[in-house]
C-alpha cells in the first residue's frame, strides 16, 4: 500500500500519516479514473486495491468494494490483492512529496 508520510519542521518522518494529516492526496488526480475523489484514491492505495474508495463507484474500480468500516481487510494486508494496478496520478501543481510503501513493512 502506498501512503503519505508525515512532515514535521521540514523533516520527513518515516511513518505513515493519517489521511486527515496529509496534503498529498488533495494535490493529485487520477488520470485513469477521473471520477475518483482524493479520498477514493487514498483508500485504494492504502488497501492495495482491496477497497475501491470511500463509496462505491462503478466507474472507479472493478471490485466494487467500498470502505464502510467493516474491517474485513487483514491488518497485514494478507487478503489484499498481490498486485494492484492502482491509479495513474497527475499532480495538480509542482510539489515535493514524501511517500512510502507499507506492504511487507511489518
Amino acid at each position: 500500500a502506498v501512503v503519505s508520510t508525515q512532515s514535521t519542521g521540514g523533516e520527513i518522518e518515516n511513518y505513515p500519516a493519517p489521511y486527515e494529516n496529509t496534503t498529498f492526496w488533495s494535490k493529485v488526480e487520477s488520470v485513469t479514473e477521473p471520477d475518483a475523489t482524493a479520498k477514493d484514491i487514498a483508500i485504494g492505495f492504502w488497501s492495495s486495491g482491496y477497497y475501491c474508495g470511500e463509496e462505491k463507484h462503478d466507474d472507479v474500480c472493478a471490485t466494487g468494494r467500498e470502505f464502510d468500516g467493516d474491517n474485513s481487510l487483514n491488518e497485514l494486508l494478507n487478503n489484499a490483492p498481490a498486485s494492484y494496478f492502482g491509479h495513474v496520478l497527475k499532480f495538480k501543481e509542482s510539489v515535493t512529496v514524501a511517500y512510502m510503501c507499507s506492504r511487507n513493512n511489518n
Side-chain angles (χ1 to χ4, degrees):
V2 174
V3 294
S4 184
T5 57
Q6 188 116 352
S7 177
T8 57
E11 286 190 30
I12 298 168
E13 303 293 331
N14 191 22
Y15 60 90
Y19 173 82
E20 294 79 13
N21 294 359
T22 65
T23 57
F24 176 88
W25 306 108
S26 64
K27 297 184 183 303
V28 297
E29 58 189 19
S30 176
V31 175
T32 50
E33 303 293 347
D35 292 335
T37 66
K39 199 161 196 178
D40 291 334
I41 297 167
I43 288 170
F45 274 100
W46 72 251
S47 69
S48 295
Y50 185 83
Y51 296 114
C52 294
E54 185 173 30
E55 296 179 12
K56 183 178 179 182
H57 300 278
D58 292 331
D59 56 342
V60 171
C61 78
T63 67
R65 202 177 285 128
E66 65 186 75
F67 180 68
D68 59 4
D70 67 359
N71 295 322
S72 60
L73 177 62
N74 178 272
E75 67 182 29
L76 298 177
L77 301 177
N78 290 337
N79 60 342
S83 58
Y84 172 51
F85 175 73
H87 297 267
V88 175
L89 300 179
K90 175 183 173 184
F91 283 89
K92 299 176 184 177
E93 60 188 69
S94 179
V95 63
T96 300
V97 296
Y99 62 93
M100 64 177 282
C101 179
S102 63
R103 186 78 185 240
N104 299 323
N105 190 21
N106 50 359

XYZ file of all heavy atoms in Angstrom:
820
model
N 0.842 -1.171 0.000
C 0.000 0.000 0.000
C 0.881 1.225 0.000
O 1.890 1.267 0.675
C -0.886 -0.008 1.219
N 0.507 2.221 -0.725
C 1.251 3.471 -0.761
C 0.541 4.456 0.153
O -0.659 4.656 0.050
C 1.335 4.034 -2.191
C 1.989 5.399 -2.193
C 2.090 3.079 -3.084
N 1.292 5.051 1.062
C 0.716 6.013 1.990
C 1.602 7.240 2.055
O 2.788 7.180 1.781
C 0.551 5.415 3.410
C -0.477 4.307 3.411
C 1.877 4.909 3.946
N 1.024 8.351 2.393
C 1.765 9.589 2.561
C 2.426 9.582 3.931
O 1.869 9.057 4.884
C 0.805 10.768 2.426
O 1.492 11.992 2.483
N 3.619 10.166 4.026
C 4.315 10.207 5.306
C 4.147 11.573 5.954
O 3.700 12.522 5.326
C 5.815 9.887 5.145
O 6.387 10.817 4.226
C 6.021 8.471 4.658
N 4.526 11.653 7.191
C 4.355 12.864 7.983
C 5.585 13.750 7.860
O 6.702 13.284 7.791
C 4.159 12.463 9.442
C 3.792 13.596 10.338
C 2.415 13.404 10.930
O 1.698 12.502 10.554
N 2.049 14.249 11.848
N 5.391 15.047 7.854
C 6.480 16.007 7.820
C 6.355 16.929 9.021
O 5.292 17.463 9.299
C 6.423 16.825 6.527
O 7.429 17.803 6.520
N 7.461 17.083 9.760
C 7.445 17.978 10.915
C 8.656 18.892 10.838
O 9.784 18.433 10.797
C 7.483 17.188 12.237
O 8.639 16.355 12.239
C 6.249 16.339 12.426
N 8.429 20.166 10.789
C 9.529 21.129 10.793
C 10.501 20.948 9.648
O 11.683 21.148 9.822
N 10.022 20.557 8.486
C 10.891 20.387 7.339
C 11.488 18.994 7.214
O 11.991 18.626 6.170
N 11.463 18.225 8.284
C 11.971 16.858 8.223
C 10.833 15.902 7.924
O 9.707 16.093 8.362
C 12.620 16.460 9.545
C 13.960 17.101 9.771
C 14.670 16.492 10.963
O 14.462 15.298 11.249
O 15.413 17.224 11.613
N 11.138 14.853 7.200
C 10.136 13.855 6.865
C 10.313 12.663 7.790
O 11.394 12.091 7.891
C 10.268 13.438 5.385
C 10.024 14.650 4.500
C 9.318 12.304 5.064
C 10.402 14.430 3.060
N 9.266 12.340 8.489
C 9.288 11.204 9.386
C 9.027 9.934 8.591
O 8.330 9.958 7.587
C 8.222 11.364 10.474
C 8.362 12.629 11.294
C 9.612 12.639 12.159
O 10.071 11.567 12.570
O 10.121 13.733 12.412
N 9.566 8.818 9.046
C 9.433 7.557 8.328
C 8.303 6.716 8.913
O 8.508 5.600 9.351
C 10.761 6.794 8.370
C 10.748 5.616 7.426
O 9.983 5.579 6.479
N 11.584 4.642 7.696
N 7.121 7.283 8.960
C 5.955 6.511 9.363
C 4.738 7.101 8.652
O 4.712 8.277 8.330
C 5.767 6.502 10.880
C 5.586 7.857 11.510
C 4.311 8.403 11.658
C 6.670 8.589 11.969
C 4.131 9.655 12.227
C 6.497 9.832 12.545
C 5.233 10.354 12.671
O 5.061 11.582 13.240
N 3.744 6.268 8.410
C 2.569 6.755 7.687
C 1.765 7.749 8.519
O 1.719 7.661 9.739
C 1.747 5.496 7.410
C 2.363 4.404 8.182
C 3.689 4.844 8.684
N 1.165 8.684 7.843
C 0.328 9.693 8.495
C -1.134 9.404 8.208
O -1.468 8.905 7.130
C 0.702 11.077 7.983
N -2.015 9.736 9.125
C -3.446 9.584 8.843
C -3.848 10.465 7.663
O -3.268 11.541 7.449
C -4.117 10.075 10.130
C -3.059 10.070 11.174
C -1.757 10.239 10.469
N -4.824 10.034 6.928
C -5.303 10.771 5.751
C -5.553 12.242 6.086
O -5.177 13.133 5.331
C -6.583 10.105 5.215
C -7.241 10.892 4.114
C -6.790 10.780 2.806
C -8.306 11.746 4.376
C -7.380 11.502 1.785
C -8.900 12.473 3.366
C -8.435 12.354 2.067
O -9.025 13.079 1.061
N -6.176 12.493 7.217
C -6.545 13.851 7.605
C -5.327 14.752 7.832
O -5.449 15.967 7.802
C -7.401 13.829 8.880
C -8.752 13.173 8.705
C -8.706 11.645 8.714
O -7.663 11.052 9.104
O -9.708 11.038 8.319
N -4.151 14.167 8.057
C -2.938 14.951 8.311
C -2.060 15.092 7.072
O -0.914 15.502 7.192
C -2.117 14.299 9.424
C -2.812 14.334 10.757
O -3.915 14.855 10.887
N -2.190 13.762 11.767
N -2.568 14.735 5.917
C -1.752 14.798 4.705
C -2.315 15.814 3.721
O -3.486 16.178 3.774
C -1.693 13.434 3.993
O -3.002 13.099 3.533
C -1.176 12.345 4.913
N -1.452 16.253 2.818
C -1.892 17.118 1.721
C -1.651 16.442 0.375
O -2.112 16.916 -0.647
C -1.133 18.461 1.741
O 0.272 18.207 1.661
C -1.452 19.240 3.009
N -0.934 15.326 0.397
C -0.587 14.617 -0.842
C -1.804 14.341 -1.715
O -1.818 14.644 -2.894
C 0.120 13.300 -0.493
C 0.432 12.434 -1.690
C 1.620 12.611 -2.383
C -0.450 11.459 -2.112
C 1.914 11.814 -3.481
C -0.172 10.665 -3.210
C 1.019 10.854 -3.891
N -2.846 13.752 -1.124
C -3.981 13.275 -1.905
C -4.769 14.411 -2.534
O -5.350 14.246 -3.598
C -4.873 12.383 -1.042
C -4.092 11.277 -0.421
C -3.744 11.150 0.892
C -3.498 10.163 -1.094
N -2.987 10.021 1.071
C -2.816 9.392 -0.136
C -3.480 9.731 -2.431
C -2.136 8.228 -0.453
C -2.790 8.568 -2.741
C -2.130 7.836 -1.767
N -4.784 15.582 -1.909
C -5.502 16.715 -2.485
C -4.730 17.356 -3.630
O -5.274 18.155 -4.371
C -5.786 17.762 -1.406
O -4.581 18.305 -0.912
N -3.476 16.982 -3.779
C -2.638 17.559 -4.832
C -2.536 16.687 -6.077
O -1.827 17.012 -7.007
C -1.246 17.850 -4.277
C -1.268 18.885 -3.161
C 0.103 19.228 -2.690
C 0.085 20.191 -1.540
N -0.580 21.433 -1.754
N -3.246 15.541 -6.071
C -3.209 14.639 -7.216
C -4.621 14.361 -7.723
O -5.597 14.533 -7.001
C -2.511 13.301 -6.886
C -1.047 13.511 -6.513
C -3.242 12.553 -5.789
N -4.677 13.937 -8.954
C -5.935 13.457 -9.519
C -5.632 12.192 -10.310
O -4.503 11.981 -10.756
C -6.595 14.515 -10.388
C -5.736 14.988 -11.529
C -6.326 16.197 -12.247
O -7.190 16.890 -11.679
O -5.905 16.439 -13.386
N -6.615 11.356 -10.452
C -6.436 10.100 -11.168
C -6.689 10.321 -12.651
O -7.755 10.794 -13.041
C -7.394 9.035 -10.635
O -7.269 7.847 -11.394
N -5.717 9.971 -13.462
C -5.872 10.060 -14.917
C -6.713 8.889 -15.407
O -7.537 9.034 -16.299
C -4.488 10.064 -15.608
C -4.624 10.034 -17.120
C -3.677 11.267 -15.161
N -6.526 7.725 -14.781
C -7.223 6.523 -15.225
C -8.657 6.450 -14.730
O -9.492 5.793 -15.338
C -6.460 5.258 -14.768
O -6.173 5.378 -13.374
C -5.172 5.097 -15.546
N -8.952 7.083 -13.602
C -10.307 7.087 -13.029
C -10.661 8.514 -12.618
O -10.649 8.861 -11.446
C -10.389 6.147 -11.819
C -10.001 4.720 -12.103
C -10.963 3.996 -13.031
O -12.072 4.496 -13.280
O -10.590 2.924 -13.511
N -10.991 9.381 -13.587
C -11.196 10.801 -13.295
C -12.290 11.105 -12.271
O -12.273 12.158 -11.651
C -11.563 11.406 -14.645
C -11.246 10.383 -15.667
C -11.151 9.062 -14.988
N -13.240 10.196 -12.068
C -14.314 10.432 -11.101
C -13.918 10.096 -9.669
O -14.678 10.369 -8.740
C -15.557 9.629 -11.481
C -16.198 10.127 -12.759
O -16.015 11.322 -13.088
O -16.866 9.343 -13.441
N -12.751 9.521 -9.477
C -12.301 9.160 -8.134
C -11.950 10.416 -7.347
O -11.261 11.304 -7.852
C -11.094 8.233 -8.208
N -12.436 10.492 -6.113
C -12.096 11.615 -5.247
C -10.712 11.389 -4.640
O -10.161 10.282 -4.717
C -13.126 11.756 -4.108
O -13.018 10.604 -3.256
C -14.541 11.891 -4.647
N -10.178 12.408 -3.990
C -8.887 12.275 -3.310
C -8.940 11.149 -2.283
O -8.021 10.343 -2.175
C -8.505 13.588 -2.643
N -10.045 11.057 -1.556
C -10.174 10.013 -0.533
C -10.307 8.636 -1.172
O -9.773 7.655 -0.663
C -11.360 10.308 0.386
C -11.278 9.554 1.684
C -12.168 10.173 2.730
C -11.785 9.662 4.100
N -12.576 10.270 5.149
N -11.018 8.539 -2.312
C -11.110 7.262 -3.023
C -9.723 6.767 -3.437
O -9.396 5.590 -3.280
C -11.965 7.400 -4.292
C -13.435 7.629 -4.011
O -13.922 7.223 -2.945
O -14.103 8.227 -4.880
N -8.907 7.670 -3.958
C -7.556 7.311 -4.400
C -6.729 6.838 -3.206
O -6.071 5.799 -3.259
C -6.879 8.494 -5.113
C -7.643 8.858 -6.389
C -5.422 8.162 -5.440
C -7.233 10.189 -6.996
N -6.780 7.584 -2.110
C -6.019 7.225 -0.907
C -6.443 5.859 -0.381
O -5.600 5.017 -0.062
C -6.207 8.292 0.173
N -7.742 5.621 -0.308
C -8.241 4.339 0.199
C -7.815 3.199 -0.712
O -7.409 2.132 -0.253
C -9.773 4.386 0.382
C -10.126 5.269 1.573
C -10.357 2.985 0.548
C -11.602 5.583 1.720
N -7.878 3.407 -2.020
C -7.427 2.381 -2.957
C -5.967 2.028 -2.760
O -5.592 0.853 -2.721
N -5.122 3.045 -2.584
C -3.701 2.790 -2.401
C -3.393 2.163 -1.053
O -2.620 1.218 -0.973
C -2.884 4.075 -2.594
C -2.530 4.338 -4.020
C -3.252 5.247 -4.775
C -1.477 3.674 -4.628
C -2.941 5.491 -6.095
C -1.145 3.909 -5.948
C -1.880 4.822 -6.691
N -3.954 2.682 0.034
C -3.587 2.113 1.337
C -4.125 0.717 1.532
O -3.625 -0.032 2.361
C -3.880 3.024 2.510
C -5.299 3.254 2.951
C -5.996 4.407 2.802
C -6.187 2.360 3.629
N -7.261 4.279 3.319
C -7.402 3.029 3.845
C -6.085 1.047 4.074
C -8.493 2.445 4.468
C -7.177 0.465 4.701
C -8.360 1.157 4.895
N -5.155 0.349 0.779
C -5.693 -1.009 0.918
C -5.189 -1.937 -0.187
O -5.648 -3.067 -0.301
C -7.223 -0.980 0.913
O -7.728 -0.629 -0.361
N -4.242 -1.475 -0.982
C -3.694 -2.252 -2.114
C -4.791 -2.725 -3.061
O -4.723 -3.805 -3.621
C -2.890 -3.457 -1.615
O -1.758 -3.030 -0.916
N -5.822 -1.905 -3.187
C -6.900 -2.232 -4.111
C -8.013 -3.078 -3.527
O -8.962 -3.425 -4.215
N -7.915 -3.428 -2.237
C -8.970 -4.218 -1.612
C -10.275 -3.424 -1.598
O -11.335 -3.951 -1.865
C -8.557 -4.595 -0.185
C -9.541 -5.509 0.508
C -9.504 -6.886 0.288
C -10.490 -5.007 1.389
C -10.397 -7.732 0.926
C -11.388 -5.849 2.034
C -11.341 -7.207 1.789
O -12.229 -8.045 2.420
N -10.162 -2.146 -1.275
C -11.317 -1.250 -1.339
C -11.165 -0.326 -2.541
O -10.065 0.107 -2.866
C -11.435 -0.391 -0.083
C -11.698 -1.164 1.183
C -10.766 -1.218 2.192
C -12.895 -1.837 1.363
C -11.011 -1.918 3.364
C -13.148 -2.555 2.524
C -12.201 -2.580 3.520
O -12.446 -3.282 4.666
N -12.282 0.017 -3.162
C -12.269 0.953 -4.296
C -12.186 2.395 -3.829
O -11.580 3.225 -4.484
C -13.542 0.801 -5.117
S -13.669 -0.775 -5.930
N -12.851 2.684 -2.741
C -12.884 4.054 -2.258
C -13.839 4.177 -1.101
O -14.313 3.193 -0.541
N -14.116 5.406 -0.771
C -15.000 5.672 0.361
C -16.426 5.207 0.075
O -17.101 4.686 0.947
C -14.985 7.163 0.670
C -15.775 7.535 1.885
C -15.604 8.996 2.248
O -15.386 9.832 1.355
O -15.702 9.290 3.442
N -16.874 5.410 -1.140
C -18.191 4.956 -1.554
C -18.046 4.146 -2.832
O -17.070 4.278 -3.557
C -19.113 6.149 -1.803
C -19.387 6.959 -0.559
C -20.293 8.142 -0.836
O -20.891 8.202 -1.925
O -20.389 9.006 0.041
N -19.033 3.324 -3.119
C -18.980 2.503 -4.319
C -19.206 3.376 -5.554
O -20.160 4.130 -5.629
C -20.032 1.404 -4.281
C -19.951 0.481 -5.473
C -20.961 -0.625 -5.391
C -20.845 -1.488 -6.630
N -21.822 -2.548 -6.628
N -18.260 3.289 -6.459
C -18.359 3.969 -7.743
C -18.117 2.902 -8.800
O -17.014 2.374 -8.887
C -17.292 5.058 -7.894
C -17.359 6.127 -6.849
N -18.221 7.184 -6.937
C -16.678 6.301 -5.690
C -18.058 7.977 -5.894
N -17.119 7.451 -5.119
N -19.104 2.583 -9.576
C -18.936 1.540 -10.586
C -17.839 1.884 -11.584
O -17.213 1.003 -12.158
C -20.256 1.296 -11.331
C -21.307 0.670 -10.420
O -20.931 -0.043 -9.470
O -22.491 0.903 -10.684
N -17.604 3.169 -11.770
C -16.598 3.568 -12.748
C -15.210 3.774 -12.146
O -14.288 4.154 -12.834
C -17.038 4.853 -13.456
C -17.323 5.983 -12.484
O -17.517 5.713 -11.287
O -17.345 7.137 -12.932
N -15.041 3.512 -10.842
C -13.741 3.727 -10.212
C -12.896 2.456 -10.172
O -11.718 2.489 -10.443
C -13.892 4.340 -8.799
C -12.573 4.369 -8.066
C -14.456 5.742 -8.918
N -13.482 1.324 -9.837
C -12.691 0.097 -9.851
C -13.582 -1.122 -10.014
O -14.778 -1.069 -9.782
C -11.819 -0.019 -8.605
S -12.652 -0.546 -7.127
N -12.958 -2.202 -10.388
C -13.708 -3.400 -10.748
C -14.266 -4.170 -9.558
O -15.299 -4.808 -9.674
C -12.818 -4.320 -11.577
N -13.607 -4.097 -8.392
C -14.077 -4.922 -7.282
C -15.388 -4.418 -6.704
O -16.159 -5.195 -6.153
C -13.053 -4.987 -6.122
O -12.938 -3.704 -5.525
C -11.714 -5.499 -6.598
N -15.643 -3.124 -6.801
C -16.881 -2.562 -6.285
C -16.978 -2.555 -4.778
O -18.021 -2.281 -4.218
N -15.873 -2.834 -4.084
C -15.888 -2.896 -2.626
C -15.640 -1.495 -2.064
O -14.632 -0.876 -2.371
C -14.790 -3.856 -2.153
C -15.019 -4.416 -0.780
C -13.932 -5.422 -0.397
N -14.112 -6.683 -1.082
C -13.154 -7.301 -1.793
N -11.956 -6.792 -1.920
N -13.394 -8.451 -2.379
N -16.553 -1.004 -1.265
C -16.391 0.314 -0.668
C -15.923 0.186 0.768
O -16.178 -0.814 1.427
C -17.695 1.109 -0.723
C -18.793 0.498 0.123
C -20.117 1.211 -0.046
O -20.762 1.022 -1.082
O -20.485 1.941 0.880
N -15.227 1.196 1.247
C -14.777 1.202 2.634
C -15.930 1.683 3.500
O -16.322 2.830 3.463
C -13.568 2.108 2.822
C -13.080 2.149 4.236
C -12.509 1.026 4.795
C -13.209 3.284 4.998
C -12.062 1.033 6.106
C -12.764 3.311 6.312
C -12.185 2.189 6.860
N -16.474 0.783 4.285
C -17.617 1.140 5.123
C -17.378 0.787 6.586
O -18.308 0.660 7.365
C -18.891 0.484 4.610
C -18.799 -1.034 4.563
O -17.772 -1.589 5.005
O -19.750 -1.667 4.090
N -16.119 0.623 6.950
C -15.796 0.343 8.345
C -15.988 -1.102 8.758
O -16.015 -1.410 9.941
N -16.112 -2.020 7.795
C -16.368 -3.416 8.151
C -15.124 -4.144 8.645
O -15.213 -5.237 9.168
C -16.999 -4.163 6.980
C -16.054 -4.326 5.796
O -14.900 -3.856 5.855
O -16.478 -4.918 4.798
N -13.957 -3.525 8.487
C -12.696 -4.100 8.970
C -12.408 -5.497 8.437
O -11.781 -6.299 9.104
C -12.651 -4.112 10.501
C -12.643 -2.721 11.078
O -12.012 -1.832 10.534
N -13.361 -2.527 12.166
N -12.863 -5.801 7.242
C -12.586 -7.120 6.687
C -11.199 -7.209 6.051
O -10.731 -8.289 5.750
C -13.660 -7.519 5.678
O -13.707 -6.603 4.610
N -10.526 -6.076 5.890
C -9.163 -6.088 5.369
C -8.219 -6.489 6.488
O -8.203 -5.885 7.564
C -8.771 -4.706 4.832
C -7.345 -4.561 4.318
C -7.090 -5.483 3.132
C -7.066 -3.124 3.928
N -7.425 -7.522 6.251
C -6.466 -8.002 7.242
C -5.428 -6.919 7.516
O -4.946 -6.268 6.596
C -5.802 -9.276 6.698
C -4.759 -9.818 7.629
O -3.607 -9.421 7.557
N -5.161 -10.730 8.487
N -5.058 -6.722 8.784
C -4.116 -5.657 9.141
C -2.742 -5.824 8.501
O -1.998 -4.862 8.355
C -3.983 -5.526 10.654
C -3.329 -6.713 11.325
C -3.260 -6.566 12.831
O -4.123 -5.890 13.410
O -2.346 -7.152 13.421
N -2.395 -7.040 8.107
C -1.128 -7.277 7.408
C -1.324 -7.319 5.890
O -0.398 -7.667 5.160
C -0.491 -8.586 7.884
C -0.118 -8.642 9.356
C 0.435 -10.013 9.712
C 0.880 -7.553 9.700
N -2.524 -6.991 5.426
C -2.892 -6.998 4.004
C -2.831 -8.394 3.400
O -2.681 -8.551 2.192
C -2.013 -6.027 3.194
C -2.040 -4.568 3.617
C -1.056 -3.757 2.772
C -3.426 -3.983 3.525
N -2.941 -9.421 4.240
C -2.854 -10.793 3.737
C -3.992 -11.165 2.796
O -3.852 -12.078 1.985
C -2.806 -11.791 4.898
C -1.491 -11.722 5.646
O -0.482 -11.276 5.099
N -1.506 -12.129 6.889
N -5.124 -10.481 2.886
C -6.217 -10.783 1.971
C -6.382 -9.699 0.898
O -7.340 -9.713 0.142
C -7.531 -11.010 2.734
C -7.976 -9.818 3.565
O -7.184 -8.928 3.864
N -9.228 -9.820 3.949
N -5.439 -8.789 0.819
C -5.443 -7.779 -0.243
C -4.835 -8.386 -1.502
O -4.057 -9.342 -1.432
C -4.635 -6.562 0.189
N -5.161 -7.847 -2.663
C -4.588 -8.384 -3.899
C -3.055 -8.328 -3.877
O -2.467 -7.396 -3.323
C -5.130 -7.446 -4.978
C -6.345 -6.822 -4.379
C -6.088 -6.749 -2.903
N -2.429 -9.318 -4.473
C -0.961 -9.356 -4.529
C -0.413 -8.257 -5.420
O 0.705 -7.778 -5.229
C -0.490 -10.712 -5.025
N -1.166 -7.855 -6.404
C -0.760 -6.734 -7.253
C -1.963 -5.821 -7.436
O -3.112 -6.249 -7.352
C -0.235 -7.227 -8.596
O -1.216 -7.985 -9.260
N -1.676 -4.574 -7.677
C -2.733 -3.567 -7.765
C -2.386 -2.610 -8.882
O -1.350 -1.955 -8.842
C -2.848 -2.847 -6.424
C -3.773 -1.650 -6.405
C -5.073 -1.733 -6.886
C -3.360 -0.434 -5.881
C -5.925 -0.645 -6.851
C -4.212 0.653 -5.833
C -5.491 0.542 -6.318
O -6.335 1.618 -6.291
N -3.240 -2.550 -9.889
C -3.000 -1.638 -10.999
C -3.018 -0.200 -10.506
O -2.230 0.630 -10.928
C -4.033 -1.849 -12.114
C -3.895 -0.861 -13.234
C -2.844 -0.951 -14.116
C -4.792 0.173 -13.370
C -2.695 -0.035 -15.134
C -4.661 1.092 -14.380
C -3.615 0.992 -15.272
N -3.910 0.087 -9.601
C -3.954 1.407 -8.997
C -4.431 2.492 -9.934
O -5.238 2.260 -10.826
N -3.935 3.658 -9.715
C -4.286 4.836 -10.500
C -3.016 5.388 -11.120
O -1.957 5.344 -10.520
C -4.873 5.932 -9.603
C -6.146 5.557 -8.929
N -7.375 5.837 -9.472
C -6.400 4.946 -7.749
C -8.329 5.420 -8.666
N -7.756 4.864 -7.603
N -3.147 5.960 -12.287
C -2.077 6.792 -12.827
C -2.388 8.185 -12.307
O -3.457 8.733 -12.571
C -2.062 6.769 -14.363
C -1.021 7.747 -14.895
C -1.798 5.365 -14.872
N -1.474 8.721 -11.510
C -1.716 10.002 -10.858
C -1.068 11.153 -11.605
O 0.012 11.014 -12.168
C -1.175 9.980 -9.426
C -1.779 8.938 -8.489
C -1.118 9.025 -7.116
C -3.280 9.114 -8.371
N -1.746 12.275 -11.586
C -1.237 13.510 -12.166
C -1.256 14.564 -11.063
O -2.281 14.761 -10.406
C -2.127 13.950 -13.327
C -1.759 15.278 -13.922
C -2.749 15.656 -15.017
C -2.481 17.059 -15.507
N -3.484 17.475 -16.492
N -0.123 15.222 -10.858
C -0.070 16.278 -9.856
C -0.719 17.541 -10.411
O -0.489 17.913 -11.553
C 1.371 16.555 -9.425
C 1.890 15.513 -8.486
C 2.516 14.381 -8.959
C 1.721 15.667 -7.124
C 2.982 13.413 -8.089
C 2.181 14.698 -6.243
C 2.813 13.568 -6.732
N -1.499 18.195 -9.576
C -2.199 19.415 -9.968
C -1.270 20.625 -9.947
O -1.559 21.641 -10.561
C -3.382 19.681 -9.028
C -4.429 18.588 -9.041
C -5.509 18.885 -8.002
C -6.515 17.782 -7.919
N -7.528 18.036 -6.872
N -0.179 20.505 -9.224
C 0.789 21.588 -9.102
C 2.154 20.987 -8.800
O 2.265 19.817 -8.430
C 0.387 22.535 -7.972
C 0.301 21.849 -6.614
C -0.284 22.723 -5.534
O -1.487 23.019 -5.610
O 0.482 23.104 -4.620
N 3.193 21.774 -8.966
C 4.537 21.326 -8.658
C 4.706 21.302 -7.140
O 4.469 22.304 -6.462
C 5.557 22.280 -9.281
O 6.858 21.868 -8.971
N 5.088 20.137 -6.614
C 5.161 19.979 -5.168
C 6.156 18.871 -4.824
O 6.357 17.949 -5.605
C 3.758 19.663 -4.595
C 3.229 18.358 -5.123
C 3.732 19.663 -3.092
N 6.781 18.980 -3.669
C 7.644 17.921 -3.156
C 6.825 17.095 -2.178
O 6.210 17.651 -1.269
C 8.868 18.509 -2.432
O 9.603 19.309 -3.358
C 9.760 17.399 -1.889
N 6.811 15.801 -2.383
C 6.029 14.924 -1.517
C 6.895 13.773 -1.016
O 7.884 13.412 -1.635
C 4.794 14.342 -2.238
C 3.829 15.437 -2.612
C 5.189 13.541 -3.447
N 6.490 13.219 0.101
C 7.145 12.029 0.641
C 6.093 10.942 0.748
O 4.959 11.200 1.116
C 7.737 12.327 2.012
N 6.474 9.736 0.387
C 5.548 8.617 0.478
C 6.337 7.369 0.791
O 7.566 7.353 0.712
C 4.749 8.445 -0.819
C 5.609 8.139 -2.021
C 5.861 6.831 -2.395
C 6.187 9.159 -2.769
C 6.662 6.529 -3.477
C 6.985 8.872 -3.855
C 7.220 7.566 -4.207
O 8.021 7.284 -5.277
N 5.641 6.324 1.172
C 6.289 5.060 1.482
C 5.361 3.929 1.093
O 4.157 4.120 0.923
C 6.641 4.962 2.964
C 5.424 4.974 3.871
S 5.784 4.774 5.614
C 6.075 3.032 5.731
N 5.917 2.761 0.945
C 5.126 1.571 0.693
C 5.056 0.788 1.990
O 6.097 0.448 2.563
C 5.749 0.713 -0.408
S 4.815 -0.795 -0.719
N 3.852 0.529 2.466
C 3.719 -0.179 3.738
C 3.554 -1.678 3.553
O 3.512 -2.432 4.519
C 2.535 0.379 4.537
O 1.339 0.156 3.843
N 3.462 -2.141 2.325
C 3.304 -3.576 2.076
C 4.581 -4.303 2.495
O 5.677 -3.906 2.137
C 3.020 -3.813 0.590
C 2.697 -5.243 0.229
C 1.252 -5.544 0.615
N 0.890 -6.916 0.425
C -0.077 -7.322 -0.364
N -0.765 -6.471 -1.073
N -0.385 -8.585 -0.440
N 4.451 -5.347 3.258
C 5.573 -6.138 3.774
C 6.544 -5.304 4.604
O 7.732 -5.554 4.622
C 6.317 -6.842 2.619
C 5.422 -7.788 1.879
O 4.577 -8.455 2.467
N 5.566 -7.840 0.580
N 6.012 -4.308 5.263
C 6.834 -3.434 6.106
C 6.462 -3.658 7.569
O 6.271 -2.739 8.330
C 6.598 -1.967 5.704
C 7.583 -1.035 6.351
O 8.647 -1.435 6.770
N 7.225 0.241 6.433
N 6.381 -4.942 7.945
C 5.937 -5.241 9.316
C 7.004 -5.901 10.130
O 7.946 -6.422 9.767
C 4.699 -6.125 9.302
C 4.834 -7.339 8.418
O 5.865 -7.524 7.770
N 3.828 -8.160 8.363
